[in-house]
Amino acid sequence: MRKAAALAGAAVLAAAAAFVVRQRLREAKRWARAAAVLSDLQERCAAPAARLQQVSAAMEVEMRAGLASEDGSKLKMLVTYVDSLPSGDEKGLFYALDLGGTNFRVLRVQLGGKERRVIKQESEGVSIPQHLMSRSSHELFDFIAASLAKFVASEGEDYHLPEGVQRELGFTFSFPVKQTSISSGTLIKWTKSFAIDEMVGKDIVAELNEAIIRQGLVMKVSTLVNDTVGTLAAGRYVDNDTMVAIILGTGTNAAYIEQAHAIPKWHAPLPKSGDMVINMEWGNFKSAHLPLTEFDQALDAESLNPGEQIYEKLTSGMYMGEIVRRILLQMSQQAALFGDSIPPKLEIPYILKYVNLIIN
């Protein structure tokens, strides 16, 4: 009896050991498959110095073509009409509206010149409802103007506006715009999931000013800039050596100070400063040297603007979470990364969000 019991116990232990071994082998195979997916991805995403130099050379060619003519390049190289930047001497109460993606921000600041710099500032972020990103321009700008009016109404006694002076607004609009002056510009196209077709070709400042009037707010837009140009101005405010600004947020872009005489498509008199800020709109850059993977290609094909904004889709926050989701989904399908079943949420496009980064 004892011998039989011992044999039975040994059999149970052997079965348990075999089960554990099979489980470990299964786990090892699963992780090996997952590692293979990552290894393949790493190889296709490789960006050695030689490739980066090719990308850099291709971008330089597009930059020169964009400066030469309006439609000669994938890079718009937009003339911003900004020929001078802050010096730090500025004084007074200033308002700003920053519309750059799925949310916007309103800000007010009291500046005190070289000695006091920023005396006080306040800001407020507002999320834009998804449906307003593809409805009508009236609905979008009325929503923005209503939020702006509410913010202005909360202005405290610490902010001082000289008697008889109207509040002015600096408008940062982070989409491709062909500027016609420092305070006007027509929308070239939407990016970052906006799709209000009726707005293309219209003056965005006029649209916002009309919405402000409908709100009964006594204010006007005095300056229109891209967010990258705004970042460049902010950098120059604290450091006179600032020459370039880059945005890595919902989208991506770059702006820099160019010598006005080096812009062949600029036919107006040269500015006194001799300089002109250029908004590159480099999100639309595309080159055979960029390391596109199957995930990038699938995302582009299913986007609102296939074949456009390739550089933005490779690098910006709007798309990074979705690229990661697609990679995890493939690893789940091919390597059972999360076990035998795929998490339902992993199959929902754009479920993973992004973070913003601003550099100057």
Side-chain angles (χ1 to χ4, degrees), residues 36-314:
V37 173
L38 283 180
S39 179
D40 180 56
L41 178 65
Q42 184 177 15
E43 184 178 334
R44 284 179 289 159
C45 287
R51 169 172 271 183
L52 293 178
Q53 288 170 352
Q54 290 174 321
V55 171
S56 176
M59 183 174 284
E60 182 180 354
V61 169
E62 292 293 336
M63 288 174 68
R64 293 186 184 281
L67 290 174
S69 63
E70 292 295 348
D71 300 310
S73 169
K74 299 179 185 71
L75 302 182
K76 291 295 184 183
M77 303 299 288
L78 299 170
V79 174
T80 65
Y81 290 82
V82 176
D83 56 19
S84 62
L85 292 167
S87 63
D89 293 323
E90 294 77 16
K91 293 182 179 181
L93 173 61
F94 300 90
Y95 274 84
L97 167 64
D98 180 7
L99 173 59
T102 53
N103 54 63
F104 65 89
R105 189 163 66 109
V106 287
L107 175 143
R108 61 173 155 255
V109 58
Q110 189 81 40
L111 298 180
K114 273 280 198 246
E115 298 300 321
R116 302 180 69 188
R117 291 283 177 161
V118 178
I119 298 173
K120 186 175 182 179
Q121 70 175 25
E122 294 175 323
S123 65
E124 182 178 302
V126 182
S127 293
I128 300 175
Q130 189 72 31
H131 69 277
L132 291 181
M133 297 166 70
S134 57
R135 294 273 277 271
S136 72
S137 57
H138 265 47
E139 288 178 277
L140 175 62
F141 282 102
D142 279 348
F143 177 78
I144 292 170
S147 299
L148 175 62
K150 183 179 178 181
F151 182 70
V152 172
S154 68
E155 183 182 294
E157 295 181 358
D158 293 338
Y159 294 95
H160 307 288
L161 187 70
E163 189 74 26
V165 175
Q166 183 183 30
R167 288 179 180 81
E168 293 185 315
L169 178 72
F171 185 19
T172 300
F173 187 74
S174 308
F175 301 90
V177 167
K178 178 176 173 52
Q179 284 201 231
T180 50
S181 75
I182 191 63
S183 59
S184 63
T186 57
L187 177 66
I188 296 173
K189 66 178 179 179
W190 289 106
T191 58
K192 293 172 281 193
S193 296
F194 278 76
I196 306 174
D197 292 339
E198 67 174 45
M199 190 62 210
V200 175
K202 290 185 178 179
D203 186 341
I204 55 168
V205 172
E207 290 288 326
L208 179 56
N209 276 331
E210 289 169 10
I212 288 173
I213 291 171
R214 288 194 292 272
Q215 288 296 322
L217 183 60
V218 182
M219 175 182 276
K220 69 174 182 178
V221 177
S222 59
T223 305
L224 171 67
V225 296
N226 180 274
D227 63 339
T228 323
V229 178
T231 300
L232 179 59
R236 178 58 72 92
Y237 184 75
V238 297
D239 185 348
N240 285 333
D241 292 329
T242 301
M243 299 293 289
V244 179
I246 295 172
I247 295 288
L248 288 172
T250 306
T252 184
N253 196 12
Y256 72 100
I257 301 172
E258 180 63 87
Q259 294 179 318
H261 68 75
I263 309 172
K265 67 182 179 182
W266 175 257
H267 302 301
L270 294 178
K272 291 181 180 179
S273 67
D275 295 329
M276 181 63 68
V277 174
I278 296 294
N279 166 20
M280 289 180 62
E281 289 296 340
W282 77 358
N284 200 45
F285 175 65
K286 183 178 180 181
S287 167
H289 301 299
L290 290 172
L292 268 72
T293 69
E294 64 185 271
F295 305 105
D296 301 305
Q297 291 166 346
L299 181 148
D300 176 51
E302 297 169 22
S303 68
L304 291 172
N305 52 351
E308 298 181 10
Q309 301 297 114
I310 298 299
Y311 196 56
E312 183 167 87
K313 290 169 183 173
L314 285 174

